[in-house]
Amino acid sequence: MFNPNNSHKIRPIISLAVLLSLIILFTPFSYIKAEKNYFPQDILTDLNQERMAFNVKPLIFDARLNQAAFLKADNMFSQNYFDHFHQGITPWDFIIHSGYNYRYAGENLAINYTDADEVTAAWMNSATHRKNMLNENFDHAGITIQSGEINGKPATITVLMLGREKNNTLDWFDIPLTQIISQLLGA
């Protein structure tokens, strides 16, 4: 049975619901966090499909590079920046810190994409990111996707770390040039 004396209890609830609806309706999209509808494995799958289309061997997931990617994303959120370099810290610092002894290394970043296909397409449409993705010198990859805030706005960051480890055996690149010349001349 409807009691008119209880209507005063319903009004604040309706007012609150209307207010929340208006806030959501008129909030600019740049302030709404990009929903993470993809996972690192999705990025690696797309990346390897692109590499194979260009006859480049697929990348292998590496836990150390994955840790480097996670540390980089965490650092960007905690230090409030989105860039490859920040206050003297390089992507290579995160890779070394993770225990990956690299000969070649690279990094791709993306912000506020909603799926793996969008991220991969954006990287393929950027000359420098594409060069990293298709670089034959890279054997391994680590990927993280994290959400947080940058400059007070919600953000979802994708970090791709790429690398090739140094061999444990001596390689021509590990030997000083003077020693190589001496060996070639038989001295």
Side-chain angles (χ1 to χ4, degrees):
M1 177 171 176
F2 177 72
N3 182 349
N5 293 331
N6 286 336
S7 65
H8 68 281
K9 293 179 183 177
I10 296 174
R11 283 188 189 135
I13 295 171
I14 293 173
S15 297
L16 182 60
V18 169
L19 179 63
L20 288 174
S21 297
L22 289 173
I23 289 171
I24 292 170
L25 180 64
F26 291 106
T27 300
F29 285 109
S30 63
Y31 290 93
I32 297 174
K33 182 175 88 172
E35 289 299 318
K36 178 184 146 186
N37 296 322
Y38 60 105
F39 299 93
Q41 183 59 43
D42 300 330
I43 298 282
L44 186 60
T45 298
D46 286 355
L47 175 57
N48 280 334
Q49 287 174 350
E50 292 290 348
R51 288 174 65 91
M52 289 186 290
F54 287 89
N55 294 319
V56 180
K57 68 182 176 197
L59 295 166
I60 301 167
F61 171 81
D62 185 274
R64 294 163 300 167
L65 288 177
N66 203 64
Q67 179 186 14
F70 178 86
L71 293 172
K72 173 63 182 264
D74 189 56
N75 186 262
M76 286 191 289
F77 284 122
S78 68
Q79 298 297 310
N80 202 33
Y81 73 98
F82 179 76
D83 204 338
H84 295 285
F85 303 93
H86 181 70
Q87 297 180 348
I89 298 173
T90 72
W92 331 132
D93 295 325
F94 298 100
I95 293 172
I96 291 168
H97 182 74
S98 72
Y100 190 89
N101 188 19
Y102 71 89
R103 173 180 304 282
Y104 302 104
E107 176 189 69
N108 281 5
L109 302 175
I111 189 167
N112 291 339
Y113 286 90
T114 58
D115 67 47
D117 293 339
E118 286 181 358
V119 174
T120 305
W123 284 340
M124 287 300 287
N125 288 324
S126 161
T128 54
H129 293 99
R130 178 186 177 99
K131 184 176 178 182
N132 269 349
M133 289 175 63
L134 301 178
N135 190 327
E136 294 179 352
N137 290 321
F138 297 138
D139 296 323
H140 303 116
I143 305 162
T144 193
I145 304 159
Q146 292 186 36
S147 295
E149 282 191 5
I150 294 182
N151 296 323
K153 295 180 183 177
T156 298
I157 294 177
T158 304
V159 179
L160 166 65
M161 292 292 193
L162 301 155
R164 174 180 282 173
E165 281 191 285
K166 286 184 181 179
N167 293 334
N168 290 332
T169 60
L170 275 181
D171 196 348
W172 285 106
F173 296 109
D174 297 325
I175 302 171
L177 184 59
T178 53
Q179 187 177 350
I180 294 171
I181 293 171
S182 295
Q183 288 179 355
L184 290 174
L185 296 175

